[in-house]
Amino acid sequence: MLRQLQIVDYKSLNVVRAMIYMGKSEGFFGYFKGNGVNVLRIAPFVACQFYFYELFKGLAASLNIKSVYGTKLLCGGLSGVCTSVIVVFFMIKIDRLIPVSYTHLTLPTICSV
């Protein structure tokens, strides 16, 4: 929806009117434009987080920890930390594998001497 709001037809509309206009002009599937990219970005992160949560929950069960809420809090926190570290590691690797050329960018004329 954010990209769609940059279109001239949506400029003078508030959020509610833009949603109504979007439904009328683009149909029901217009609300889901661009959602596939978000799913591809979020799904591995969430899957990794569920895996680590279950792993730590099983480890806590094998250690006979009795506190239910404390165990859930600890397992959730540890799964979030592990997932974030792994995802950031892979994002750094991906950024290094995909070279980006910035040769077309120049400094503004104000900075030139």
Side-chain angles (χ1 to χ4, degrees):
M1 181 171 160
L2 294 176
R3 281 287 208 204
Q4 291 163 327
L5 292 179
Q6 293 176 0
I7 298 172
V8 178
D9 295 340
Y10 294 100
K11 287 287 185 188
S12 63
L13 302 175
N14 62 18
V15 175
V16 175
R17 290 186 184 189
M19 296 286 287
I20 293 169
Y21 182 77
M22 189 184 312
K24 288 179 181 177
S25 65
E26 300 180 28
F28 178 73
F29 292 109
Y31 295 118
F32 300 102
K33 272 188 179 175
N35 194 33
V37 174
N38 285 332
V39 170
L40 288 176
R41 185 176 58 92
I42 296 295
F45 185 84
V46 173
C48 192
Q49 202 165 13
F50 276 123
Y51 170 75
F52 279 114
Y53 180 77
E54 291 297 323
L55 181 77
F56 289 126
K57 192 170 78 170
L59 182 64
S62 68
L63 295 174
N64 294 327
I65 299 175
K66 300 295 181 192
S67 173
V68 175
Y69 297 113
T71 303
K72 288 182 178 182
L73 181 66
L74 182 67
C75 293
L78 288 173
S79 68
V81 168
C82 290
T83 303
S84 296
V85 167
I86 288 173
V87 167
V88 166
F89 172 75
F90 281 116
M91 287 196 144
I92 290 171
K93 289 289 187 187
I94 289 171
D95 286 343
R96 288 185 182 168
L97 289 175
I98 303 170
V100 178
S101 174
Y102 294 107
T103 57
H104 64 282
L105 298 176
T106 59
L107 290 173
T109 56
I110 286 179
C111 296
S112 63
V113 180

